[in-house]
């Protein structure tokens, strides 16, 4: 059980956020996030919206239909989240 899940319960948004933090610095596609988290594409797309609106995640369009997502590591809120996540992993284990 992940540290975020231990503290806040298992939600689709936490699952996607944790996946992106574990894969920070990488370009992620909707299908890859869905496969990596075990969530449906529609669920991933839905929970990404608030993360995009708050600049935690950056979206880049590739062509007409492809979308890529990366964690916005330069945003202060993202940095705070990553630090919190790292500290919780140390404290609670992964």
């Amino acid at each position: 059980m992940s540290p975020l899940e231990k503290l806040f319960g298992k939600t689709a948004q936490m699952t996607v956020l944790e996946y992106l933090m574990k894969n920070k610095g990488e370009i992620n596609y909707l299908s890859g996030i869905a496969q990596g988290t075990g969530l449906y594409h529609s669920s991933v797309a839905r929970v990404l919206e608030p993360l995009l609106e708050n600049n935690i995640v950056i979206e880049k369009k590739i062509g007409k239909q492809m979308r890529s997502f990366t964690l916005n590591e330069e945003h202060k809120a993202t940095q705070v989240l990553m630090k919190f996540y790292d500290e919780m992993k140390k404290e609670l284990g992964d």
Side-chain angles (χ1 to χ4, degrees), residues 34-94:
Q35 184 178 11
T37 60
L39 298 170
Y40 292 107
H41 287 82
S42 59
S43 296
V44 173
R46 178 179 47 81
V47 301
L48 275 171
E49 286 308 313
L51 298 172
L52 290 164
E53 289 169 8
N54 289 290
N55 295 316
I56 304 296
V57 173
I58 299 169
E59 174 184 5
K60 291 185 182 172
K61 296 196 185 242
I62 302 169
K64 292 183 180 181
Q65 294 183 342
M66 290 286 282
R67 300 162 57 190
S68 69
F69 304 93
T70 55
L71 202 58
N72 185 0
E73 296 181 54
E74 295 182 16
H75 191 279
K76 182 67 176 170
T78 307
Q79 294 169 1
V80 170
L81 282 169
M82 290 190 309
K83 183 177 179 184
F84 174 76
Y85 178 71
D86 289 341
E87 289 180 16
M88 288 299 101
K89 276 183 15 184
K90 290 176 195 169
E91 193 66 33
L92 301 174
D94 192 17

Side-chain angles (χ1 to χ4, degrees), residues 5 10-20 36-39:
E5 189 177 333
K10 186 171 180 130
T11 67
Q13 192 161 27
M14 286 289 191
T15 302
V16 169
L17 180 59
E18 187 167 20
Y19 177 85
L20 292 171
T37 60
L39 298 170

